[in-house]
Amino acid sequence: MMQSEHTAPCPITSSSLSGLLWDTRPELAERELAALDTLVDHFRQGGKNWSLDIQKQLSRLILPLRDTLIRLHAAKAPYNSSIHDIVLEMQRLRKSYWAWTQEEWSEVICNSEGEFRRRFGASGNCRQYVMALAWLLCGFKRLEHCGTFYQYRLCLKVFGRQSTDFAVSQLDVMMQALGYVPRDGRNNGVRNAMCMAMLLQRDAQPDHITATTLQHIAATGPDYLREASATLSRILAASGIIEEGFDHRITQRRRPPREYNATADVPAEWLSWCKRWRATSVLRPSSVLSGWYVLLKCGRWLAECYPSCLSPSDWTRDTAISWATAVCRMKVGEWANPGGMYRDRRGKMMMPAARTSMLGHIRTFFHDLQEWGWIPVRFSPERVFRAPRSLTSQTGPEPRIVADDMWCKLLHAGQNLQESDLPRSVAYPYFYPLEMVRALSVLWLFGGLRRDEILRMQCGCIRWQQPEENNVSRICLIDVPVSKTYAAFTKPVDPVVGEYIEQWERVRSTHPLQEDPKTGESVNFLFMHRGKRVHSSYINNSLIPLLCRKAGIPEQDARGRITSHRARATIASQLYNAREPLDFFELQKWLGHASPESTRHYVEITPTRLAGSLNKAGYFERNRRLVSVLIDQDAIAEGLTASGEPWRYYDLGHGFCTYDFFEQCPHRMACAKCSFYMPKSSSEAQYLEGRHNLLRMMQEIPLTEDEQAAVENDINAVNNLLNKLTGVATPDNKRKP
């Protein structure tokens, strides 16, 4: 080994190479440069063997490479190829590999295995050994920019098999504690993320991995490691190695910056006011974001229609009225920069609810600016930006309930889910456990909760209460977390919800506390698996399609796609239209609404209940009554009716009326005892009732309000009716006495 005053220990931690001294001078001597040129020319001419003179001239450069590769147990082909490739690059760069920068090493290693082979013609895993030499000898630390490679195999080379496999076994134990399936092919990504973190930190201990390293991999590493690094962070957080995991998707844009620019074409002055309001508003983040996009639309409209009013302080009542008019006539995509969105609807009139919402957001914006004293009060936002009747009449309550027959099938499917119903592929089993999918299903089908409330449900949310009656089953109570409009509260649910949730809690793995985005508290979320909360789109995009397939029904009906919120409207309408329904205020409390007006948008009165209520109201019976009529068939047969003899007798209870147009007589309910009246106490009436050739029938008689009250035995109503009939002529033209 060549010794000189410029010697240094090997800059690695591996004990197998510790204590070695190599000449690490970065500059190349003239004789070394000449030897490199000669050797490269020899390679280009097809030569392979090195002369003794060349080996002597380059010994200080070649010896560290050979020693390291021998200790890495490199095979003959990658051993020779690695030295060959590094020699070529030293001759090209005109400096030793000790002096190569991180960028130059990255260029030598290339971005992929294919590019490395095209450049050097090397075969096998030569690239892996070049990376190992760079990492061991020169402290190369930009592995995350090297594209795809086998991190586990590189760890085997630089850390040794014993240390690497011990770290992998520790990771397997931590993953199984969170519910990961052993030997699942998807776990390879997490293992590679751990190996990458150990390589970047130059430490083979998993419990030394930091969250900063994992976030660095998620931000700058290859795509196949970004999700795996976030998963690894949650695993380490559950094991107490780091404080908190992260989700790599939170900070990612939904669209590439070049494809979509939300603030494009918005005047700078108007945009500055919008940014100031957005930073100051205390509304919910979702409401602020919705208002933000409406304000950007308004800015583009101002730039074209009112370029002199780019500041809110310059707005007049006329400007505000013009914007309100433009909103009422706005079409999809107008004054917006939608990118690739709304291609099938662009140019059509916006939905009334969307236009009403736009007016509400701009009303809030100007109201806030005036209240905060940022602009002078020139008009009333509440009056100018109030939605007109043409919009409000189209945005009334329209609960999108699911038909009873389809809902019944969904209920049956949710309670009878089996493992065979869960999605799976040939290589990988289903992701979420069956117990958790069942609990989610019944909570959606029976709970009447918002999607956010379901996903933010906490462990221990189920409580049981024993009713006073012994023959009644236990009452299941569920603690609902804070919602967007209501504080946390407790409500009863079907016992099947409690049973399925308790089944899930018995098999659920232990997870660390996480911050509730609504309250900021550290809570133990119920629906977590493998250190991660259930994604917000899971219910709509996975669970509901799964239940629809199980139930054999389409995912859409006449009212659109079946989504999580439609269950809430369906359950509310069924509870309101039940045989013994919840009254409106009970339903408001059960749904967790702060105002009855909100409950009104969830309830639809079914035609069956409406018909029952109409029947109970007795509208027809209130205006018509049946009166018994006796028909004298002998009088009709003998032709006595032509001479004016009575043949039809109306039974008044105390007597009979022989007036043919009895239903038109004003005294029918308070008989004036005119000549058409025949008291039952008379001999003629008794003879009539004793005859056999009589036909008894019923005739409907319309009643006025006063007569209806009299029929219902209201004494005061009878007296009032008699007073009103005083002086009214009877059918025989005699005045009532």
Side-chain angles (χ1 to χ4, degrees):
M1 183 184 304
M2 181 178 291
Q3 298 286 343
S4 72
E5 59 180 354
H6 297 285
T7 59
C10 175
I12 59 177
T13 60
S14 176
S15 59
S16 62
L17 296 177
S18 61
L20 296 179
L21 295 178
W22 292 318
D23 188 349
T24 59
R25 286 177 298 173
E27 63 277 358
L28 292 175
E30 291 296 333
R31 56 185 176 81
E32 292 174 332
L33 289 173
L36 287 173
D37 293 338
T38 303
L39 184 59
V40 171
D41 290 339
H42 179 66
F43 290 157
R44 289 172 180 171
Q45 294 174 8
K48 296 182 179 180
N49 296 325
W50 295 29
S51 65
L52 294 177
D53 183 59
I54 294 296
Q55 293 185 35
K56 181 178 179 181
Q57 296 295 333
L58 300 179
S59 61
R60 82 169 182 98
L61 301 173
I62 303 304
L63 187 60
L65 300 178
R66 289 178 175 175
D67 286 345
T68 305
L69 290 171
I70 290 173
R71 285 164 174 79
L72 294 179
H73 304 287
K76 183 177 180 180
Y79 176 93
N80 293 329
S81 296
S82 300
I83 297 176
H84 173 273
D85 298 340
I86 292 177
V87 166
L88 291 179
E89 290 302 312
M90 283 195 294
Q91 190 270 342
R92 183 180 68 86
L93 297 172
R94 315 303 289 176
K95 56 184 177 181
S96 69
Y97 53 82
W98 301 110
W100 289 357
T101 63
Q102 297 289 322
E103 291 79 7
E104 290 169 338
W105 269 113
S106 298
E107 184 181 358
V108 172
I109 295 172
C110 300
N111 293 326
S112 66
E113 185 72 27
E115 183 180 348
F116 184 85
R117 292 185 179 183
R118 286 190 295 270
R119 180 171 181 175
F120 297 105
S123 60
N125 55 353
C126 175
R127 181 171 179 253
Q128 282 267 337
Y129 283 100
V130 173
M131 296 173 67
L133 292 172
W135 191 90
L136 288 168
L137 299 180
C138 300
F140 181 66
K141 60 177 85 172
R142 293 196 176 181
L143 294 172
E144 71 276 13
H145 299 293
C146 294
T148 303
F149 66 95
Y150 295 103
Q151 289 81 8
Y152 172 72
R153 293 184 181 179
L154 184 57
C155 283
L156 291 177
K157 294 177 175 62
V158 300
F159 293 124
R161 179 170 295 276
Q162 182 178 0
S163 299
T164 303
D165 287 347
F166 178 74
V168 171
S169 64
Q170 285 184 303
L171 176 64
D172 290 341
V173 172
M174 291 186 289
M175 294 179 69
Q176 292 181 30
L178 289 180
Y180 285 84
V181 180
R183 295 179 297 279
D184 187 351
R186 290 175 292 189
N187 298 348
N188 292 337
V190 181
R191 184 189 66 180
N192 287 331
M194 182 193 68
C195 292
M196 176 67 86
M198 293 191 304
L199 290 169
L200 293 180
Q201 295 186 183
R202 312 182 76 82
D203 191 340
Q205 297 296 327
D207 52 355
H208 293 171
I209 295 176
T210 64
T212 304
T213 302
L214 296 177
Q215 289 173 345
H216 175 70
I217 297 174
T220 62
D223 293 338
Y224 70 96
L225 284 183
R226 294 184 179 180
E227 181 178 358
S229 61
T231 302
L232 179 60
S233 72
R234 294 188 291 271
I235 295 172
L236 297 180
S239 302
I241 296 176
I242 62 177
E243 291 185 0
E244 185 179 4
F246 61 90
D247 191 335
H248 72 289
R249 294 168 298 187
I250 294 177
T251 57
Q252 288 184 344
R253 295 178 57 89
R254 292 185 177 179
R255 308 175 184 86
R258 295 181 181 178
E259 179 184 345
Y260 181 78
N261 184 8
T263 60
D265 305 326
V266 179
E269 185 176 0
W270 178 262
L271 184 61
S272 64
W273 281 94
C274 296
K275 290 181 178 179
R276 186 182 178 189
W277 172 83
R278 184 178 183 180
T280 311
S281 178
V282 294
L283 297 175
R284 294 192 305 271
S286 58
S287 300
V288 173
L289 185 61
S290 300
W292 165 259
Y293 288 116
V294 173
L295 295 176
L296 298 183
K297 280 188 178 183
C298 184
R300 297 186 186 95
W301 173 81
L302 285 173
E304 182 170 338
C305 300
Y306 288 87
S308 60
C309 297
L310 300 181
S311 171
S313 59
D314 297 332
W315 276 48
T316 62
R317 184 180 179 86
D318 292 339
T319 311
I321 292 175
S322 299
W323 167 248
T325 304
V327 170
C328 292
R329 301 172 181 173
M330 191 165 291
K331 298 180 179 179
V332 176
E334 192 175 7
W335 312 113
N337 182 24
M341 299 185 297
Y342 314 124
R343 291 178 180 175
D344 56 336
R345 297 175 48 223
R346 195 172 300 177
K348 299 181 181 179
M349 187 67 70
M350 292 181 64
M351 298 297 290
R355 286 175 279 164
T356 302
S357 177
M358 290 182 63
L359 290 174
H361 286 304
I362 204 71
R363 178 172 63 246
T364 300
F365 174 70
F366 275 93
H367 174 82
D368 290 344
L369 298 191
Q370 292 179 1
E371 285 292 319
W372 298 340
W374 291 2
I375 61 174
V377 179
R378 299 178 182 271
F379 58 89
S380 171
E382 287 75 13
R383 297 182 61 184
V384 177
F385 297 124
R386 182 171 52 196
R389 186 179 294 275
S390 59
L391 291 182
T392 57
S393 61
Q394 303 179 58
T395 57
E398 188 180 359
R400 298 172 61 236
I401 65 172
V402 180
D404 289 348
D405 56 340
M406 296 179 63
W407 189 249
C408 182
K409 294 178 180 179
L410 286 173
L411 291 175
H412 183 269
Q415 297 178 75
N416 295 276
L417 281 177
Q418 304 297 328
E419 288 190 1
S420 58
D421 301 318
L422 301 184
R424 65 170 65 224
S425 64
V426 177
Y428 304 128
Y430 51 86
F431 187 80
Y432 289 132
L434 175 63
E435 293 81 3
M436 191 179 87
V437 178
R438 283 176 173 172
L440 276 169
S441 300
V442 298
L443 190 56
W444 176 67
L445 291 167
F446 292 91
L449 300 170
R450 301 179 180 92
R451 179 183 60 181
D452 178 70
E453 295 169 348
I454 295 175
L455 299 181
R456 290 175 43 245
M457 201 65 63
Q458 301 177 21
C459 291
C461 60
I462 294 297
R463 292 185 286 113
W464 298 93
Q465 181 175 322
Q466 189 68 33
E468 297 180 358
E469 298 82 359
N470 295 329
N471 58 344
V472 180
S473 60
R474 294 184 301 169
I475 298 175
C476 180
L477 302 177
I478 188 169
D479 296 329
V480 182
V482 176
S483 66
K484 64 178 183 179
T485 59
Y486 206 72
F489 69 104
T490 301
K491 71 175 184 179
V493 291
D494 195 280
V496 68
V497 177
E499 294 170 0
Y500 277 79
I501 288 181
E502 287 183 341
Q503 291 177 14
W504 162 237
E505 288 182 332
R506 283 194 291 268
V507 300
R508 177 183 177 274
S509 303
T510 304
H511 298 279
L513 300 179
Q514 290 198 357
E515 180 180 335
D516 190 325
K518 286 282 185 192
T519 63
E521 300 175 346
S522 295
V523 299
N524 197 7
F525 288 113
L526 175 64
F527 296 111
M528 290 189 66
H529 183 57
R530 299 182 178 178
K532 182 180 178 182
R533 289 179 57 195
V534 174
H535 195 265
S536 59
S537 63
Y538 174 75
I539 296 179
N540 285 335
N541 297 342
S542 299
L543 180 62
I544 295 178
L546 170 66
L547 294 176
C548 290
R549 288 193 300 269
K550 173 74 173 178
I553 62 174
E555 298 179 20
Q556 294 186 352
D557 58 8
R559 297 183 176 181
R561 181 186 175 197
I562 300 178
T563 60
S564 62
H565 212 63
R566 294 189 62 180
R568 190 168 163 87
T570 303
I571 298 172
S573 294
Q574 290 189 0
L575 291 176
Y576 189 72
N577 292 284
R579 180 175 299 178
E580 297 183 7
L582 272 68
D583 64 37
F584 204 77
F585 294 102
E586 290 174 340
L587 189 60
Q588 174 193 348
K589 174 65 177 177
W590 193 82
L591 291 174
H593 286 153
S595 169
E597 180 65 21
S598 301
T599 309
R600 192 169 64 93
H601 289 264
Y602 287 80
V603 175
E604 180 178 75
I605 301 178
T606 61
T608 303
R609 171 168 180 174
L610 195 60
S613 300
L614 190 63
N615 185 44
K616 292 178 181 179
Y619 172 78
F620 296 102
E621 291 75 6
R622 184 176 183 83
N623 293 278
R624 292 185 180 275
R625 281 294 183 270
L626 295 178
V627 175
S628 178
V629 183
L630 298 179
I631 305 298
D632 189 351
Q633 299 184 81
D634 291 342
I636 298 175
E638 296 174 3
L640 300 178
T641 58
S643 61
E645 293 294 329
W647 59 278
R648 180 165 48 188
Y649 302 88
Y650 290 91
D651 190 350
L652 304 181
H654 48 76
F656 295 98
C657 180
T658 60
Y659 183 47
D660 290 343
F661 303 97
F662 174 77
E663 70 277 2
Q664 301 178 11
C665 178
H667 299 275
R668 58 181 178 265
M669 299 307 299
C671 186
K673 308 297 191 298
C674 64
S675 60
F676 291 103
Y677 177 72
M678 180 188 300
K680 286 189 176 183
S681 59
S682 65
S683 59
E684 186 178 0
Q686 294 175 0
Y687 169 74
L688 176 67
E689 291 182 321
R691 295 173 59 182
H692 299 286
N693 197 22
L694 293 176
L695 177 65
R696 182 175 295 274
M697 302 179 62
M698 303 294 291
Q699 179 176 336
E700 283 189 349
I701 304 297
L703 302 181
T704 64
E705 292 289 339
D706 296 328
E707 292 170 342
Q708 174 67 28
V711 170
E712 295 175 354
N713 298 323
D714 189 338
I715 300 301
N716 294 329
V718 174
N719 295 331
N720 293 334
L721 179 61
L722 292 175
N723 293 333
K724 288 184 178 181
L725 293 176
T726 301
V728 178
T730 59
D732 59 354
N733 294 324
K734 295 181 179 180
R735 296 294 179 182
K736 182 180 178 181

